[in-house]
Amino acid sequence: MTQIADAVLDVLPISREKAQTAADLVQGLDRPALEWLAGFMAGAAARLRADAPQAATPVALAAGTAVQQQLTILYGSQTGNAKRVAERLAGEVQAAGLPVRIVRADAYRTAELKKEQFLYIVISTHSEGDAVEPPDDSRGFHEFLTGKRAPQLPNLSFGVLALGDSSYVDFCGIGRQIDERLAALGAKRVLERADADVDVDYVATPWAAQALQQAKALLGPRQAAASNAASAEVLPLRPAHASWSRERPYLAEVLVNQRIVGSGSQKDVRHIELSLAGSGLHYQPGDALGVWPTQAPELVQRVLEVLKLAADTAVTHGDETLPLSEWLAHRRELTVLTRPFIAALAERGKHAALTALLQPEGSAELARLLNISQLIDVLRAWPTQWSADAIVAALRPLAPRMYSIASSQALVDEEVHLTVALVQFEKEGEARWGVGSRYLSAAEEGAQVPVFIEANERFRLPQDPARDLIMVGPGTGVAPFRAFVQQRQADGATGRNWLFFGNPHRHSDFLYQTEWLQAVKDGALTHLEVAFSRDQSEKVYVQHRLIEHGAEVWQWLQGGAHFYVCGDAERMAGDVQRALAQIAVAHGGKTPEDAADWVKTLLVEGRYARDVY
């Protein structure tokens, strides 16, 4: 055992015992092992930083560094993609020796904007029905920037990476608005805006490379004092068990795949349990599980038949060569139509009708086509000659599907649970489905599913366990609240829990009924309100139950309760938000305008959180 000198121990930020343990740990390790261990420690420190509130602290600069400017990377993220890209870019900028800070949009002080000299923004577009919205964490920043209080910015250099989904008509609308607004305020665009589809890295990676070069050109290398120990670089390595990611998913074994609706239900909803044993993967209530699906073999065969192409045709795209059937099954979207593919189909086949849909006056009809049709439908409706190389290049890369995690590791340990509704319908007598839900619903026990954890910082339990919770989760939107209740029970939280659940029928669609009733009996749920929309002549939804209990909901919120919504963004989320504002008018004495501002304040404060899709 190597003893550490007392003089050294006196200045260390840890106890003597822990310091001695660390010294003992490194004895006999070779260089690769030491580098791995250094990376592990750095990763642990990074996770603590990420979990800390208001994680907007600038990256520390070494003593003696003379910095006149720094790069600020601001991100707004609904599902975690923008955060992931921004963090990766910040790491590359820091590794290049440049001063940088990374800030989530809701932690950014807007008064600083007029002082900024170099700003990159990575922001997604969140769609609610036909409208586009900023991510919940970016609403305040977006409102400020597009409002009258935004300052002139003649000294600002900026670049914007916009994230979106080309299956929506207004693709990357929020990023485009911010890019144009910054330019209108006099800022200098040093990078052309890039619009990334759901295959984010295809556009984000080259944009980030350009962004790094611009940062080097504008900021120059950071000079660190060689004598300052704080300037020593620690390789940001991670231990193997923590390296599972979107790019390198973990193969999780299916333990349970159980239908949890009654025989009379018109839905097929599954409770799925996956093993994470030995993976080292950890998650928190509110996080999502990313799943890389595989297209159904029968759909791949249909597409090959309509294209009149051979399954074994070798196709090289980028740096990868695969048979065409493999591209279609594992690498390309077949169930989601996008505007870029419609444009490619119109051009290649000289289809005037499709070209007309791409004009501004055809936007409504285009939106309808994207909503009700899949790839096989348009290939049949507008026959076109495609080569194998051309179809692979034109189709959008397959993206992982995100599912709200329905379990707490405090209860299930090395497992993760999901609540999945099979998306399926018929068109012209032929079955259609959603790729992710079909893949998971068909996964047999013992099968392996490629997965990764997607953190959702905006959908977290309050740090104070005495805070009350109001949870609104109709249908499979109830999934994260199963995790919330499990975690609160494990923590011994003293705050009250109120769940609003809705579905068509009580007898067949009451998901996790036994668990919820037991939770009420045990006191883990203070209130359980249900809305079964088809069990009476007049349809009743969760927003109606909220209004019915509006006086008590208002009292809970005035007492500091946190309000959560999970589920359908197209209608439900908007209906619930309007009900919340209506409650503020009826029971808080607010005007409609003040009620709308109050709801926005809840969002900014983090007391109103949404996980909608």
Side-chain angles (χ1 to χ4, degrees), residues 31-47:
R31 180 173 178 175
L34 288 169
E35 288 179 345
W36 177 90
L37 186 60
F40 176 81
M41 298 302 182
R47 286 192 293 276

Side-chain angles (χ1 to χ4, degrees), residues 305-445:
E305 288 173 356
V306 74
L307 291 172
K308 299 178 181 178
L309 294 172
D312 59 356
T313 303
V315 177
T316 300
H317 187 74
D319 58 358
E320 196 169 23
T321 300
L322 295 170
L324 177 57
S325 59
E326 286 295 300
W327 281 109
L328 298 181
H330 301 288
R331 298 287 196 275
R332 287 298 180 263
E333 291 282 5
L334 304 183
T335 61
V336 177
L337 270 182
T338 67
R339 181 189 177 99
F341 181 78
I342 296 299
L345 180 62
E347 181 179 0
R348 190 174 187 89
K350 309 301 180 187
H351 300 297
L354 286 180
T355 302
L357 295 183
L358 298 168
Q359 307 310 309
E361 56 273 18
S363 61
E365 188 59 30
L366 175 61
R368 181 175 179 276
L369 177 68
L370 296 177
N371 187 50
I372 68 171
S373 301
Q374 295 188 349
L375 174 68
I376 192 69
D377 300 312
V378 296
L379 290 178
R380 288 170 175 167
W382 288 278
T384 303
Q385 186 70 38
W386 290 91
S387 67
D389 289 344
I391 194 68
V392 168
L395 289 172
R396 183 167 79 177
L398 184 64
R401 270 44 179 180
M402 302 295 172
Y403 295 92
S404 300
I405 292 175
S407 56
S408 164
Q409 283 191 298
L411 180 66
V412 304
D413 196 19
E414 291 188 301
E415 294 181 10
V416 61
H417 298 179
L418 303 179
T419 312
V420 179
L422 174 61
V423 177
Q424 60 181 348
F425 58 97
E426 280 197 2
K427 187 168 184 180
E428 298 176 359
E430 190 175 65
R432 301 282 188 273
W433 50 77
V435 59
S437 63
R438 167 65 180 260
Y439 172 71
L440 286 172
S441 296
E444 298 180 352
E445 294 180 8

Side-chain angles (χ1 to χ4, degrees), residues 50-184:
D51 291 339
Q54 302 295 315
T57 306
V59 174
L61 304 183
T65 304
V67 177
Q68 307 234 330
Q69 327 176 40
Q70 69 173 353
L71 168 63
T72 295
I73 301 176
L74 183 149
Y75 69 88
S77 187
Q78 191 72 26
T79 62
N81 283 328
K83 174 178 180 290
R84 175 174 59 86
V85 172
E87 287 180 338
R88 186 171 60 198
L89 175 58
E92 292 171 352
V93 173
Q94 184 184 20
L98 304 176
V100 60
R101 67 168 179 164
I102 179 169
V103 192
R104 196 172 68 195
D106 58 355
Y108 184 75
R109 293 190 299 173
T110 52
E112 295 180 5
L113 184 59
K114 61 185 177 183
K115 303 174 186 178
E116 296 282 4
Q117 294 180 312
F118 194 12
L119 175 68
Y120 287 154
I121 295 179
V122 183
I123 191 164
S124 62
T125 292
H126 179 58
S127 296
E128 293 190 8
D130 295 331
V132 294
E133 298 283 349
D136 286 344
D137 62 10
S138 308
R139 289 174 180 267
F141 176 77
H142 179 266
E143 184 175 328
F144 170 80
L145 186 65
T146 56
K148 295 180 180 179
R149 295 183 179 179
Q152 291 297 307
L153 303 169
N155 299 318
L156 177 66
S157 297
F158 77 96
V160 174
L161 174 64
L163 277 58
D165 185 336
S166 60
S167 66
Y168 293 97
V169 174
D170 194 359
F171 177 48
C172 291
I174 297 301
R176 184 178 65 254
Q177 290 175 20
I178 288 176
D179 180 72
E180 293 173 352
R181 179 59 170 164
L182 288 171

Side-chain angles (χ1 to χ4, degrees), residues 285-310:
D287 287 345
L289 189 75
V291 175
W292 283 102
T294 298
Q295 301 285 359
E298 56 265 47
L299 178 57
V300 172
Q301 186 58 38
R302 289 177 196 167
V303 172
L304 289 170
E305 288 173 356
V306 74
L307 291 172
K308 299 178 181 178
L309 294 172

